[in-house]
Coordinates of all heavy atoms in Angstrom, one line a residue:
M1012 N -4.6 1.1 -7.8 CA -4.7 -0.1 -6.9 C -4.4 -1.3 -7.7 O -4.8 -1.5 -8.9 CB -6.1 -0.1 -6.3 CG -6.2 -1.0 -5.2 SD -7.8 -1.1 -4.3 CE -8.4 0.5 -4.4
R1013 N -3.7 -2.3 -7.1 CA -3.3 -3.5 -7.8 C -3.6 -4.7 -6.8 O -3.7 -4.5 -5.6 CB -1.8 -3.5 -8.1 CG -1.6 -2.3 -9.2 CD -0.2 -2.2 -9.6 NE 0.4 -3.4 -10.1 CZ 1.7 -3.5 -10.2 NH1 2.5 -2.6 -9.9 NH2 2.2 -4.7 -10.7
S1014 N -3.6 -5.9 -7.4 CA -3.9 -7.1 -6.6 C -2.7 -8.0 -6.6 O -2.0 -8.1 -7.6 CB -5.1 -7.8 -7.1 OG -6.3 -7.1 -7.0
V1015 N -2.5 -8.6 -5.4 CA -1.4 -9.6 -5.3 C -1.9 -10.7 -4.4 O -2.9 -10.5 -3.6 CB -0.1 -9.0 -4.7 CG1 0.5 -8.0 -5.6 CG2 -0.3 -8.4 -3.3
K1016 N -1.3 -11.9 -4.5 CA -1.6 -13.0 -3.6 C -0.4 -13.3 -2.7 O 0.7 -13.3 -3.2 CB -2.0 -14.2 -4.4 CG -3.4 -14.1 -5.0 CD -3.8 -15.4 -5.7 CE -5.2 -15.2 -6.3 NZ -5.8 -16.4 -6.9
D1017 N -0.7 -13.7 -1.5 CA 0.4 -14.1 -0.6 C 0.6 -15.6 -0.7 O 0.0 -16.3 -1.5 CB 0.1 -13.7 0.9 CG -1.1 -14.4 1.5 OD1 -1.6 -15.4 0.9 OD2 -1.6 -13.9 2.6
S1018 N 1.6 -16.0 0.1 CA 2.0 -17.5 0.0 C 0.9 -18.4 0.4 O 0.9 -19.6 0.1 CB 3.2 -17.7 0.9 OG 3.0 -17.3 2.2
D1019 N -0.2 -17.9 1.1 CA -1.3 -18.7 1.5 C -2.4 -18.7 0.5 O -3.5 -19.2 0.7 CB -1.8 -18.3 2.9 CG -0.8 -18.6 4.0 OD1 -0.1 -19.6 3.9 OD2 -0.8 -17.8 5.0
G1020 N -2.2 -17.9 -0.6 CA -3.3 -17.8 -1.6 C -4.3 -16.7 -1.3 O -5.3 -16.5 -2.1
R1021 N -4.1 -15.9 -0.3 CA -5.1 -14.8 0.0 C -4.8 -13.6 -0.9 O -3.6 -13.3 -1.2 CB -5.0 -14.4 1.5 CG -5.4 -15.5 2.4 CD -5.3 -15.0 3.8 NE -3.9 -14.8 4.1 CZ -3.3 -14.4 5.3 NH1 -4.1 -14.2 6.3 NH2 -2.1 -14.2 5.4
E1022 N -5.9 -13.0 -1.4 CA -5.7 -11.9 -2.3 C -5.7 -10.6 -1.5 O -6.5 -10.4 -0.5 CB -6.9 -11.8 -3.2 CG -6.6 -10.8 -4.4 CD -7.7 -11.0 -5.5 OE1 -8.3 -12.0 -5.6 OE2 -7.8 -10.0 -6.3
W1023 N -4.7 -9.7 -1.8 CA -4.5 -8.4 -1.2 C -4.6 -7.3 -2.2 O -4.2 -7.5 -3.4 CB -3.1 -8.4 -0.5 CG -2.9 -9.3 0.6 CD1 -2.8 -10.7 0.5 CD2 -2.9 -9.0 2.0 NE1 -2.6 -11.2 1.8 CE2 -2.7 -10.2 2.7 CE3 -3.0 -7.8 2.7 CZ2 -2.5 -10.3 4.1 CZ3 -2.9 -7.9 4.1 CH2 -2.7 -9.1 4.8
T1024 N -5.1 -6.2 -1.8 CA -4.9 -5.0 -2.7 C -3.7 -4.2 -2.2 O -3.4 -4.2 -1.0 CB -6.1 -4.0 -2.5 OG1 -6.3 -3.6 -1.2 CG2 -7.4 -4.7 -3.1
A1025 N -3.0 -3.7 -3.2 CA -1.8 -2.8 -2.9 C -2.1 -1.5 -3.5 O -2.5 -1.4 -4.7 CB -0.6 -3.5 -3.5
E1026 N -1.9 -0.4 -2.7 CA -2.1 0.9 -3.2 C -1.1 1.9 -2.5 O -0.7 1.7 -1.4 CB -3.5 1.4 -3.0 CG -4.0 1.4 -1.6 CD -5.4 1.8 -1.4 OE1 -5.9 2.7 -2.2 OE2 -6.1 1.3 -0.5
T1027 N -0.8 2.9 -3.2 CA 0.0 4.0 -2.6 C -1.0 4.9 -1.9 O -2.0 5.3 -2.4 CB 0.8 4.8 -3.6 OG1 0.0 5.3 -4.6 CG2 1.9 4.0 -4.3
V1028 N -0.6 5.2 -0.6 CA -1.5 6.0 0.2 C -0.9 7.3 0.6 O -1.5 8.1 1.4 CB -2.0 5.2 1.5 CG1 -2.9 4.1 1.0 CG2 -0.8 4.7 2.3
G1029 N 0.3 7.6 0.2 CA 1.0 8.8 0.6 C 2.5 8.8 0.2 O 3.0 7.8 -0.4
R1030 N 3.1 9.9 0.5 CA 4.5 10.0 0.2 C 5.2 10.7 1.3 O 4.6 11.6 1.9 CB 4.7 10.8 -1.1 CG 6.2 10.9 -1.5 CD 6.4 11.5 -2.9 NE 6.0 10.5 -3.8 CZ 6.1 10.7 -5.1 NH1 6.4 11.8 -5.6 NH2 5.8 9.7 -6.0
T1031 N 6.3 10.2 1.7 CA 7.1 10.9 2.8 C 8.5 11.1 2.3 O 8.9 10.6 1.4 CB 7.1 9.9 4.0 OG1 7.7 10.6 5.1 CG2 7.8 8.6 3.8
S1032 N 9.1 12.0 3.0 CA 10.5 12.3 2.8 C 11.3 11.9 4.0 O 10.9 12.1 5.1 CB 10.8 13.7 2.5 OG 10.2 14.1 1.3
G1033 N 12.4 11.2 3.8 CA 13.2 10.7 4.9 C 14.7 11.0 4.6 O 15.1 11.1 3.5
L1034 N 15.4 11.2 5.7 CA 16.9 11.4 5.5 C 17.5 10.0 5.1 O 17.4 9.1 5.9 CB 17.5 11.9 6.8 CG 17.1 13.4 7.1 CD1 17.7 13.8 8.4 CD2 17.6 14.3 6.0
M1035 N 18.1 10.0 4.0 CA 18.8 8.8 3.5 C 20.3 9.1 3.4 O 20.7 10.0 2.7 CB 18.3 8.4 2.2 CG 16.8 8.1 2.1 SD 16.3 6.8 3.1 CE 16.8 5.4 2.1
S1036 N 21.1 8.4 4.2 CA 22.5 8.6 4.2 C 23.1 7.9 3.0 O 22.8 6.7 2.8 CB 23.1 8.1 5.5 OG 24.4 7.8 5.4
R1037 N 23.9 8.5 2.2 CA 24.5 7.9 1.0 C 26.0 7.8 1.2 O 26.6 8.8 1.6 CB 24.1 8.7 -0.2 CG 22.6 8.6 -0.5 CD 22.3 9.5 -1.7 NE 22.9 9.1 -2.9 CZ 22.8 9.7 -4.0 NH1 22.1 10.8 -4.1 NH2 23.4 9.3 -5.1
S1038 N 26.5 6.6 1.0 CA 28.0 6.5 1.3 C 28.8 7.4 0.4 O 28.5 7.7 -0.7 CB 28.4 5.0 1.0 OG 28.4 4.7 -0.3
G1039 N 29.8 7.9 1.0 CA 30.7 8.9 0.3 C 30.3 10.3 0.4 O 31.0 11.2 0.0
L1040 N 29.1 10.6 0.9 CA 28.6 11.9 1.1 C 28.7 12.3 2.6 O 28.4 11.5 3.4 CB 27.2 12.1 0.6 CG 26.9 11.9 -0.9 CD1 25.5 12.0 -1.2 CD2 27.7 12.8 -1.7
S1041 N 29.1 13.6 2.8 CA 29.2 14.0 4.2 C 27.8 14.4 4.7 O 27.6 14.3 5.9 CB 30.1 15.2 4.3 OG 29.7 16.3 3.5
K1042 N 26.9 14.8 3.9 CA 25.6 15.2 4.3 C 24.5 14.2 3.9 O 24.6 13.7 2.7 CB 25.2 16.6 3.8 CG 26.0 17.7 4.3 CD 25.4 19.1 4.0 CE 25.5 19.4 2.6 NZ 25.0 20.7 2.2
P1043 N 23.5 13.9 4.7 CA 22.4 13.1 4.2 C 21.6 13.8 3.2 O 21.6 15.0 3.1 CB 21.6 12.8 5.5 CG 22.2 13.6 6.6 CD 23.4 14.3 6.1
E1044 N 20.9 13.1 2.3 CA 20.1 13.7 1.3 C 18.7 13.3 1.5 O 18.4 12.2 1.8 CB 20.6 13.1 -0.1 CG 20.0 13.8 -1.2 CD 20.7 13.3 -2.5 OE1 21.9 13.4 -2.6 OE2 19.9 12.8 -3.4
L1045 N 17.8 14.3 1.2 CA 16.4 14.0 1.3 C 16.0 13.1 0.1 O 16.3 13.5 -1.0 CB 15.5 15.2 1.3 CG 15.5 16.0 2.6 CD1 14.7 17.3 2.4 CD2 15.0 15.2 3.7
E1046 N 15.3 12.0 0.3 CA 14.8 11.2 -0.8 C 13.4 10.8 -0.5 O 13.1 10.1 0.6 CB 15.7 10.0 -0.9 CG 15.4 9.1 -2.1 CD 16.5 8.1 -2.3 OE1 17.7 8.4 -2.1 OE2 16.1 7.0 -2.7
P1047 N 12.4 11.1 -1.3 CA 11.0 10.8 -1.0 C 10.8 9.3 -1.1 O 11.5 8.6 -1.8 CB 10.3 11.5 -2.1 CG 11.2 11.7 -3.2 CD 12.6 11.8 -2.6
A1048 N 9.8 8.8 -0.4 CA 9.4 7.4 -0.4 C 7.9 7.4 -0.5 O 7.2 8.1 0.2 CB 9.9 6.7 0.8
D1049 N 7.4 6.5 -1.3 CA 5.9 6.2 -1.4 C 5.6 5.2 -0.3 O 6.3 4.3 0.0 CB 5.5 5.6 -2.7 CG 5.5 6.6 -3.8 OD1 5.4 7.9 -3.5 OD2 5.6 6.2 -5.0
I1050 N 4.4 5.4 0.3 CA 3.9 4.5 1.3 C 2.9 3.6 0.6 O 1.9 4.0 0.0 CB 3.1 5.3 2.5 CG1 4.1 6.3 3.1 CG2 2.6 4.3 3.5 CD1 3.4 7.3 4.0
I1051 N 3.2 2.3 0.7 CA 2.3 1.3 0.0 C 1.6 0.5 1.1 O 2.2 0.0 2.0 CB 3.2 0.3 -0.8 CG1 3.9 1.1 -1.9 CG2 2.3 -0.7 -1.5 CD1 4.9 0.3 -2.7
R1052 N 0.3 0.5 1.0 CA -0.6 -0.2 2.0 C -1.2 -1.4 1.3 O -1.7 -1.4 0.2 CB -1.7 0.7 2.5 CG -2.6 0.0 3.5 CD -3.6 0.9 4.1 NE -2.9 2.0 4.9 CZ -3.4 3.2 5.1 NH1 -4.7 3.5 4.7 NH2 -2.7 4.1 5.8
F1053 N -1.2 -2.6 2.1 CA -1.7 -3.8 1.6 C -3.0 -4.1 2.5 O -2.9 -4.0 3.7 CB -0.7 -5.0 1.8 CG 0.5 -4.8 0.9 CD1 1.6 -4.2 1.3 CD2 0.5 -5.3 -0.4 CE1 2.7 -4.0 0.5 CE2 1.6 -5.1 -1.3 CZ 2.7 -4.5 -0.8
T1054 N -4.1 -4.5 1.9 CA -5.3 -4.8 2.6 C -5.8 -6.2 2.1 O -5.9 -6.4 0.9 CB -6.4 -3.7 2.4 OG1 -5.9 -2.5 2.7 CG2 -7.6 -4.0 3.2
C1055 N -6.1 -7.1 3.0 CA -6.6 -8.4 2.6 C -8.0 -8.3 2.2 O -8.9 -7.8 3.0 CB -6.4 -9.4 3.8 SG -6.8 -11.1 3.3
R1056 N -8.4 -8.7 1.0 CA -9.8 -8.6 0.5 C -10.7 -9.5 1.2 O -11.9 -9.1 1.5 CB -9.8 -8.9 -1.0 CG -9.2 -7.8 -1.8 CD -9.5 -8.1 -3.3 NE -9.0 -6.9 -4.1 CZ -9.2 -6.9 -5.4 NH1 -9.8 -7.8 -6.0 NH2 -8.8 -5.8 -6.0
K1057 N -10.4 -10.7 1.4 CA -11.3 -11.7 1.9 C -11.4 -11.9 3.4 O -12.3 -12.4 4.0 CB -11.0 -13.1 1.3 CG -11.0 -13.2 -0.2 CD -12.4 -13.4 -0.7 CE -12.3 -13.5 -2.2 NZ -13.5 -13.6 -2.9
D1058 N -10.4 -11.3 4.1 CA -10.3 -11.5 5.6 C -10.1 -10.1 6.2 O -9.0 -9.7 6.5 CB -9.1 -12.4 5.9 CG -9.1 -12.8 7.4 OD1 -9.9 -12.3 8.2 OD2 -8.2 -13.6 7.8
P1059 N -11.2 -9.4 6.5 CA -11.1 -8.1 7.2 C -10.4 -8.1 8.5 O -10.0 -7.1 9.0 CB -12.5 -7.6 7.2 CG -13.4 -8.8 7.0 CD -12.6 -9.8 6.3
S1060 N -10.4 -9.3 9.2 CA -9.7 -9.4 10.5 C -8.2 -9.4 10.3 O -7.5 -9.1 11.3 CB -10.1 -10.6 11.2 OG -9.7 -11.8 10.6
E1061 N -7.7 -9.6 9.1 CA -6.2 -9.6 8.9 C -5.8 -8.1 8.9 O -6.3 -7.3 8.2 CB -5.9 -10.2 7.6 CG -4.4 -10.2 7.2 CD -3.6 -11.1 8.1 OE1 -4.1 -12.2 8.5 OE2 -2.5 -10.7 8.4
P1062 N -4.8 -7.7 9.8 CA -4.4 -6.3 9.8 C -3.8 -5.9 8.5 O -3.1 -6.6 7.8 CB -3.3 -6.4 10.9 CG -3.5 -7.6 11.7 CD -4.1 -8.6 10.7
Q1063 N -4.0 -4.6 8.2 CA -3.4 -4.0 7.0 C -1.9 -4.0 7.3 O -1.4 -4.0 8.4 CB -3.9 -2.6 6.8 CG -5.3 -2.5 6.4 CD -5.8 -1.1 6.2 OE1 -5.4 -0.2 7.0 NE2 -6.7 -0.9 5.3
R1064 N -1.1 -3.9 6.2 CA 0.3 -3.8 6.3 C 0.8 -2.6 5.4 O 0.2 -2.3 4.4 CB 0.9 -5.1 5.7 CG 0.5 -6.3 6.6 CD 0.9 -7.6 6.0 NE 0.3 -8.7 6.7 CZ 0.8 -9.9 6.8 NH1 2.0 -10.2 6.2 NH2 0.2 -10.8 7.5
E1065 N 1.9 -2.0 5.9 CA 2.5 -0.9 5.1 C 4.0 -1.0 5.0 O 4.6 -1.5 5.9 CB 2.2 0.5 5.8 CG 0.8 1.0 5.6 CD 0.6 2.4 6.1 OE1 1.5 3.0 6.7 OE2 -0.5 2.9 5.9
V1066 N 4.5 -0.5 3.9 CA 5.9 -0.5 3.6 C 6.2 0.7 2.8 O 5.3 1.2 2.1 CB 6.3 -1.8 2.9 CG1 5.8 -1.9 1.5 CG2 7.8 -2.0 2.9
T1067 N 7.4 1.2 2.8 CA 7.8 2.3 1.9 C 8.7 1.8 0.8 O 9.4 0.8 1.0 CB 8.6 3.4 2.7 OG1 9.7 2.8 3.3 CG2 7.6 4.1 3.7
A1068 N 8.6 2.5 -0.3 CA 9.5 2.1 -1.5 C 9.8 3.5 -2.1 O 9.1 4.5 -2.0 CB 8.7 1.2 -2.4
K1069 N 10.9 3.4 -2.9 CA 11.3 4.7 -3.6 C 10.2 5.3 -4.4 O 9.5 4.6 -5.1 CB 12.5 4.3 -4.5 CG 13.2 5.6 -5.1 CD 14.4 5.2 -5.8 CE 15.0 6.5 -6.3 NZ 16.4 6.3 -6.8
A1070 N 10.1 6.6 -4.3 CA 8.9 7.3 -4.9 C 8.9 7.0 -6.4 O 9.9 7.0 -7.1 CB 9.1 8.8 -4.6
G1071 N 7.7 6.8 -6.9 CA 7.4 6.7 -8.3 C 7.6 5.3 -8.9 O 7.4 5.0 -10.0
L1072 N 8.0 4.3 -8.0 CA 8.2 2.9 -8.6 C 7.0 2.0 -8.5 O 7.0 1.0 -9.2 CB 9.4 2.3 -7.8 CG 10.8 2.8 -8.0 CD1 11.8 2.0 -7.2 CD2 11.1 2.9 -9.4
F1073 N 6.0 2.4 -7.8 CA 4.8 1.5 -7.6 C 4.3 0.9 -8.9 O 4.1 -0.3 -9.0 CB 3.7 2.2 -6.9 CG 2.5 1.4 -6.6 CD1 2.5 0.4 -5.6 CD2 1.3 1.6 -7.3 CE1 1.4 -0.4 -5.4 CE2 0.2 0.8 -7.1 CZ 0.2 -0.2 -6.1
E1074 N 4.1 1.7 -9.9 CA 3.5 1.2 -11.2 C 4.5 0.3 -11.9 O 4.0 -0.4 -12.8 CB 3.1 2.4 -12.0 CG 1.9 3.2 -11.5 CD 0.7 2.4 -11.2 OE1 0.4 1.5 -12.0 OE2 0.0 2.6 -10.2
T1075 N 5.7 0.4 -11.6 CA 6.7 -0.4 -12.3 C 7.0 -1.8 -11.7 O 7.6 -2.6 -12.3 CB 8.0 0.3 -12.5 OG1 8.6 0.5 -11.2 CG2 7.9 1.6 -13.2
F1076 N 6.5 -2.0 -10.4 CA 6.7 -3.2 -9.7 C 6.0 -4.4 -10.4 O 4.8 -4.2 -10.8 CB 6.2 -3.2 -8.3 CG 7.1 -2.4 -7.4 CD1 6.6 -1.4 -6.5 CD2 8.5 -2.6 -7.3 CE1 7.4 -0.7 -5.7 CE2 9.3 -1.9 -6.5 CZ 8.8 -0.9 -5.6
T1077 N 6.6 -5.5 -10.5 CA 6.0 -6.7 -11.0 C 5.1 -7.3 -9.9 O 5.3 -6.9 -8.7 CB 7.0 -7.8 -11.4 OG1 7.7 -8.2 -10.3 CG2 7.9 -7.3 -12.5
A1078 N 4.2 -8.2 -10.2 CA 3.4 -8.9 -9.2 C 4.3 -9.6 -8.1 O 4.1 -9.6 -6.9 CB 2.5 -9.9 -9.8
E1079 N 5.4 -10.2 -8.6 CA 6.4 -10.9 -7.7 C 7.0 -9.9 -6.8 O 7.2 -10.2 -5.6 CB 7.4 -11.6 -8.5 CG 6.9 -12.8 -9.3 CD 6.2 -12.4 -10.6 OE1 6.4 -11.3 -11.1 OE2 5.4 -13.2 -11.1
E1080 N 7.4 -8.7 -7.3 CA 8.0 -7.7 -6.4 C 7.0 -7.2 -5.4 O 7.4 -7.0 -4.2 CB 8.6 -6.5 -7.2 CG 9.8 -6.9 -8.1 CD 10.2 -5.9 -9.1 OE1 9.3 -5.2 -9.6 OE2 11.4 -5.8 -9.4
L1081 N 5.8 -7.0 -5.8 CA 4.8 -6.5 -4.8 C 4.5 -7.6 -3.7 O 4.4 -7.3 -2.6 CB 3.5 -6.2 -5.5 CG 3.4 -4.8 -6.2 CD1 2.1 -4.6 -6.9 CD2 3.6 -3.7 -5.2
T1082 N 4.5 -8.9 -4.2 CA 4.3 -10.0 -3.2 C 5.5 -10.0 -2.2 O 5.3 -10.2 -1.0 CB 4.2 -11.3 -3.9 OG1 3.1 -11.2 -4.8 CG2 4.0 -12.5 -3.0
S1083 N 6.7 -9.8 -2.7 CA 7.9 -9.7 -1.8 C 7.7 -8.6 -0.8 O 8.0 -8.7 0.4 CB 9.2 -9.5 -2.6 OG 9.4 -10.7 -3.3
L1084 N 7.3 -7.4 -1.3 CA 7.0 -6.3 -0.4 C 6.0 -6.6 0.7 O 6.1 -6.2 1.8 CB 6.7 -5.0 -1.2 CG 7.8 -4.3 -1.9 CD1 7.2 -3.2 -2.8 CD2 8.9 -3.8 -1.0
L1085 N 4.9 -7.3 0.2 CA 3.8 -7.7 1.2 C 4.4 -8.6 2.3 O 4.1 -8.4 3.5 CB 2.7 -8.4 0.4 CG 1.7 -9.1 1.3 CD1 0.9 -8.2 2.2 CD2 0.7 -9.9 0.4
E1086 N 5.3 -9.5 1.9 CA 5.9 -10.4 2.9 C 6.8 -9.7 3.9 O 6.9 -10.1 5.0 CB 6.6 -11.5 2.2 CG 5.8 -12.4 1.3 CD 4.7 -13.2 2.0 OE1 4.9 -13.6 3.2 OE2 3.6 -13.4 1.5
L1087 N 7.4 -8.6 3.4 CA 8.3 -7.8 4.3 C 7.5 -6.8 5.1 O 8.0 -6.3 6.2 CB 9.3 -7.0 3.4 CG 10.3 -7.9 2.7 CD1 11.1 -7.0 1.8 CD2 11.2 -8.6 3.7
A1088 N 6.3 -6.3 4.7 CA 5.6 -5.3 5.3 C 5.1 -5.6 6.7 O 4.5 -6.7 6.9 CB 4.4 -4.8 4.4
P1089 N 5.4 -4.8 7.7 CA 4.9 -5.1 9.0 C 3.4 -4.8 9.1 O 2.9 -4.0 8.4 CB 5.7 -4.1 9.9 CG 6.2 -3.0 9.0 CD 6.3 -3.6 7.6
K1090 N 2.8 -5.5 10.0 CA 1.3 -5.3 10.3 C 1.2 -3.9 11.0 O 2.0 -3.5 11.8 CB 0.8 -6.4 11.2 CG 0.8 -7.7 10.5 CD 0.3 -8.8 11.5 CE 0.3 -10.1 10.8 NZ -0.1 -11.2 11.6
M1091 N 0.1 -3.2 10.6 CA -0.1 -1.9 11.2 C -0.7 -2.1 12.6 O -1.7 -2.8 12.7 CB -1.1 -1.1 10.3 CG -0.5 -0.7 9.0 SD -1.6 0.2 7.9 CE -2.2 1.5 8.9
P1092 N -0.2 -1.4 13.6 CA -0.7 -1.5 14.9 C -2.1 -0.9 15.0 O -2.4 0.1 14.4 CB 0.3 -0.7 15.8 CG 1.1 0.1 14.8 CD 1.0 -0.5 13.5
G1093 N -3.0 -1.6 15.7 CA -4.3 -1.2 15.9 C -5.2 -1.3 14.6 O -6.4 -0.8 14.6
A1094 N -4.7 -1.8 13.5 CA -5.5 -2.0 12.3 C -6.2 -3.3 12.3 O -5.9 -4.2 12.9 CB -4.6 -1.8 11.1

């Protein structure tokens, strides 16, 4: 689990909560290739009314992301419905 701040200064936790495989079409190949993706969930620490957010990223990269990269992913991550 890691911490990041959004543009409003709120602190969020970022953690991988699973891994999925999706069909990823690669240019120049006739067949799609399976490529795993980690599911990264963001939870606002100070504001429990703020919906959690989730985004996928290439499997195994979570620990290598800088704080700035995680913040960018947070800004892109859609809010989870019903959360």
Side-chain angles (χ1 to χ4, degrees):
M1012 195 175 327
R1013 297 179 53 197
S1014 295
V1015 295
K1016 287 189 179 181
D1017 65 14
S1018 57
D1019 295 326
R1021 294 178 296 183
E1022 193 170 341
W1023 295 74
T1024 58
E1026 63 182 321
T1027 55
V1028 294
R1030 182 171 286 179
T1031 186
S1032 293
L1034 290 177
M1035 303 294 286
S1036 155
R1037 296 174 61 186
S1038 70
L1040 295 179
S1041 59
K1042 292 195 288 186
E1044 187 173 305
L1045 286 177
E1046 188 170 319
D1049 286 338
I1050 302 166
I1051 301 172
R1052 181 175 295 158
F1053 296 93
T1054 305
C1055 188
R1056 286 186 174 187
K1057 302 276 183 185
D1058 187 358
S1060 67
E1061 181 67 38
Q1063 293 179 322
R1064 300 173 187 207
E1065 280 188 359
V1066 68
T1067 57
K1069 188 170 181 169
L1072 292 183
F1073 180 74
E1074 294 302 323
T1075 66
F1076 286 131
T1077 65
E1079 292 80 18
E1080 290 169 328
L1081 281 174
T1082 301
S1083 293
L1084 286 174
L1085 169 61
E1086 297 298 326
L1087 293 172
K1090 295 177 181 179
M1091 293 175 55

